[in-house]
Amino acid sequence: MRPFLLTAAAAAVSGTVLASSSSSLSSSSSSDGGDSDNPLPLVIWHGLGDSSTSEGLADIAQLAEAFAPGIFVHVINPNPDGGDDRSATFFGNVTDQVATVCAQLAAHPILSTAPAIDAVGFSQGGQFLRGYVERCNAPPVRNLVTFGSQHNGITRFRDCAPADLVCKAAMALLRFNVWSAFVQARLVPAQYYRPTEPAADYATYLASSNYLADINNERALKNETYRANLASLDNFVMYLFGNDTVSIPKESAWFGEVSGDGNHVPLKERPIYKEDWIGLRALNDKGALSFRTIEAAEHMRIPTKVLNDTFKEFLGVYKGKKTSAFSDEGISEEL
C-alpha cells in the first residue's frame, strides 16, 4: 500500500475542499455535554509548502471518516481571508497565525460547541498546533498527534526544489540577519530555527525568537498556562521519521537535542522535561506521552497503515477517552 506523501514537492493543489456531509454537520454541532455517540471533530494543520485544499489532505479526511463515521474534519487555513494558504506556510508571523487560528476555532459554529477536539499536525503544523494548545486551547484538544514536527526546532534550513519559486523567495530573506525583527516577523521557518552552540548564538535565540523559545518556555520567566494546558491532553503522540533528511535534526520530533558534534540528548535528560517547563513530564507521569518511529521513512512519507492505526486508536467519541498503552521511546510503526 502506497505511503501518503505530504511535502511541498508532492502536494497537489486540487481545489477539493474538505467538507463534511450534512449529517456530520448537524451531529457535530449538537451540544450534549460529551455524552453523544458522535465522534469528536478532527482538526488538521498541514506542513511547509502544503495547502489546506491539497489532494493528500482530502485523502486523509476520507480515512478519518472510515474509522469514525460522521466525523467533522477541519483543515486549518491561517489566512484571515480564507485565501490560498501555501504561501502562508513560508511567509508570515507564526504568533499572529496561531492567534488567528485560536479566534477561528473559538468562533466556529461546530468546533466551538464540541466538548473537545482531536488534532493532527504534519511537520511544522505539529508545533503550531501545540502552540494553539498552550496559548488558548478553546475548544480544548483531547488527543494531539504530530508527524515529524520540529518541536525542538531546526539547526539547518531546508533546500528548495528547483522550480519552487515561493520557497526560494522565502529563503532569500535569509540574506538578512535571521534574528532581525524583520525576518522573525516574516519567514516562518526562521521562527523555529534554534541553534544550540556556540552559547552566544543560543543566547541570541532566546532574546530574538518570535515563536519557538516562547512556546517551549525556555526563557527565565515561565508561562504556567502553557504547562497546564499541554498537561491537560489525554494523549500527546509524537512520530519521528527514521530516515528524515529534511527536518534537521530529526530527533526534534521527540524534543531531542543534537549538538554540532552529533551528541544526542534525549528529552528526558533535558531541563524542559526535568523541570517540566511545558507539561511533558506531567503527561509522561500519567502515561499520556508517546514516542513513535516510522522506520526507514523519509520526512512526511506516512504509510497508510500508520494513519489507519493512529485514527483507530485516537479518534472517536468523547466518552471513549482513553490513554494510549504505548508511551516508551522506541515504539515503532513498520513500513
Side-chain angles (χ1 to χ4, degrees), residues 12-18 46 50-58 75 77 84-85:
V13 179
S14 64
T16 302
V17 178
L18 298 182
H46 60 76
D50 208 344
S51 165
S52 60
T53 58
S54 72
E55 182 180 349
L57 290 172
V75 179
N77 181 337
D84 178 50
D85 63 328

Side-chain angles (χ1 to χ4, degrees), residues 89-155:
T89 69
F90 292 99
F91 298 104
N93 185 312
V94 178
T95 290
D96 291 345
Q97 289 183 358
V98 171
T100 296
V101 171
C102 286
Q104 288 175 346
L105 300 195
H108 194 283
I110 296 173
L111 302 177
S112 64
T113 60
I117 59 176
D118 292 320
V120 174
F122 296 108
S123 195
Q124 68 180 21
Q127 63 260 30
F128 298 166
L129 273 173
R130 178 164 62 86
Y132 165 84
V133 172
E134 293 179 17
R135 290 179 173 176
C136 50
N137 206 32
V141 173
R142 175 181 63 171
N143 296 321
L144 174 61
V145 182
T146 63
F147 287 90
S149 297
Q150 299 84 19
H151 289 298
N152 199 50
I154 56 173
T155 57

